[in-house]
Amino acid sequence: MESLPSVLTRSLQFRLSVIFVAVATATLAAFGILGQYRLAAELGENFAEMKQATVQRLASSLASPLWDVNRESVDNTLAAEMLRPEVAAIHVFDVGNRLFAARVRKGEEETQPSGQDEIPPGIAAEFPIDHQPAEGQGPGAVRIGRVVVFFTRDQFDATLKRNWQYKLLEVLAIDTLLILLMFVSLRNVFGPLGRLRDALFAEARRQGRREEIADELPLSPYRELGEVTQGFNLVLRKIGEEAAAHEAEL
């Protein structure tokens, strides 16, 4: 007796199902990888633009309070920028490279002042702070410090991870649906073929007596299979007629 794996590998229905699901899975996976790559590129571009815009906005907003040595105003500006989840910490240095003010994220929501030695992991972006005196009051912009912003990619990575999980579930759901559709569709094809096979074997085993001739098969609603079944039934009728004529001669 043949083993189940041997029977399956020799089954046309099983092979068609495997090929169809494999091709569909490979196609979905290819589009999923392409979509993930495009999403990563788009998020990376947005992340870079956000970093540049944040440090430039801070440098502009901090120029006046840093010039006036207004720590409260500087800290309020930092607290407002820390509302962005991508910002992990902000350090503001004066012209002597001394830490003037700082904020660091503690947990997901809370932010607290930070010391210079508390440098969080992340991507640092630095921008100079220049004070622009009023017209006619100075030769031009004066460098008064710098701002260093530490960004986290947690939101970036979480978005990519969620997209991967969504794509994986999408492939699994589509594969499951395809398997069910293939099972139903192929059963409509191989069901009539199986009945035709059984009838052919039964006819081959008969002993030539008219009463042992197989019954005619019902016609399939599908034209191609119906024509095959109709041809088989015509053969059975011909065999029956020849058997009846032979018995009459006897």
Side-chain angles (χ1 to χ4, degrees):
M1 183 177 180
E2 291 185 282
S3 62
L4 180 59
S6 176
V7 173
L8 289 178
T9 54
R10 293 175 55 188
S11 169
L12 179 60
Q13 181 176 0
F14 177 77
R15 289 189 177 185
L16 288 176
S17 300
V18 170
I19 291 173
F20 189 78
V21 172
V23 171
T25 302
T27 303
L28 291 172
F31 279 104
I33 293 173
L34 179 60
Q36 188 77 358
Y37 174 78
R38 289 179 174 175
L39 177 62
E42 181 180 352
L43 291 176
E45 183 178 348
N46 293 339
F47 187 74
E49 293 177 354
M50 182 271 299
K51 287 194 305 177
Q52 187 68 15
T54 300
V55 293
Q56 289 181 356
R57 184 172 57 251
L58 273 170
S60 176
S61 301
L62 293 173
S64 180
L66 185 60
W67 176 261
D68 296 333
V69 197
N70 189 337
R71 293 183 182 273
E72 182 180 358
S73 179
V74 170
D75 191 63
N76 290 337
T77 301
L78 300 188
E81 288 294 340
M82 289 294 295
L83 295 176
R84 296 186 65 93
E86 296 87 358
V87 179
I90 306 175
H91 289 176
V92 180
F93 297 90
D94 61 19
V95 69
N97 203 33
R98 294 179 296 269
L99 184 66
F100 183 83
R103 299 281 290 187
V104 65
R105 187 176 304 282
K106 297 292 186 180
E108 295 184 358
E109 299 295 340
E110 182 184 2
T111 60
Q112 297 178 353
S114 167
Q116 184 174 0
D117 57 341
E118 190 175 359
I119 300 178
I123 303 172
E126 181 177 332
F127 203 82
I129 303 176
D130 296 332
H131 175 69
Q132 185 70 40
E135 185 177 355
Q137 296 186 3
V142 179
R143 180 67 47 83
I144 60 175
R146 60 189 177 92
V147 58
V148 181
V149 185
F150 296 88
F151 296 92
T152 175
R153 288 171 53 96
D154 291 347
Q155 294 287 326
F156 179 94
D157 296 335
T159 301
L160 290 178
K161 183 179 180 181
R162 285 195 302 268
N163 188 68
W164 266 121
Q165 292 172 343
Y166 171 77
K167 291 298 182 182
L168 179 60
L169 291 176
E170 184 182 61
V171 170
L172 291 176
I174 293 177
D175 278 350
T176 302
L177 180 61
L178 288 176
I179 290 174
L180 293 176
L181 291 176
M182 285 290 293
F183 176 77
V184 174
S185 300
L186 291 179
R187 187 176 62 176
N188 292 332
V189 175
F190 288 95
L193 291 179
R195 291 191 294 270
L196 180 59
R197 174 203 60 202
D198 296 339
L200 288 171
F201 277 115
E203 182 62 23
R205 288 192 296 266
R206 77 181 184 87
Q207 300 298 320
R209 293 189 295 272
R210 182 182 178 185
E211 60 271 13
E212 293 181 356
I213 296 177
D215 295 331
E216 293 187 6
L217 296 177
L219 296 180
S220 172
Y222 304 103
R223 181 176 59 84
E224 295 83 355
L225 294 174
E227 291 175 351
V228 174
T229 305
Q230 186 178 17
F232 175 77
N233 291 338
L234 291 175
V235 172
L236 284 182
R237 292 173 193 169
K238 183 65 174 178
I239 294 175
E241 293 172 358
E242 291 178 353
H246 181 69
E247 290 179 2
E249 292 177 357
L250 297 178

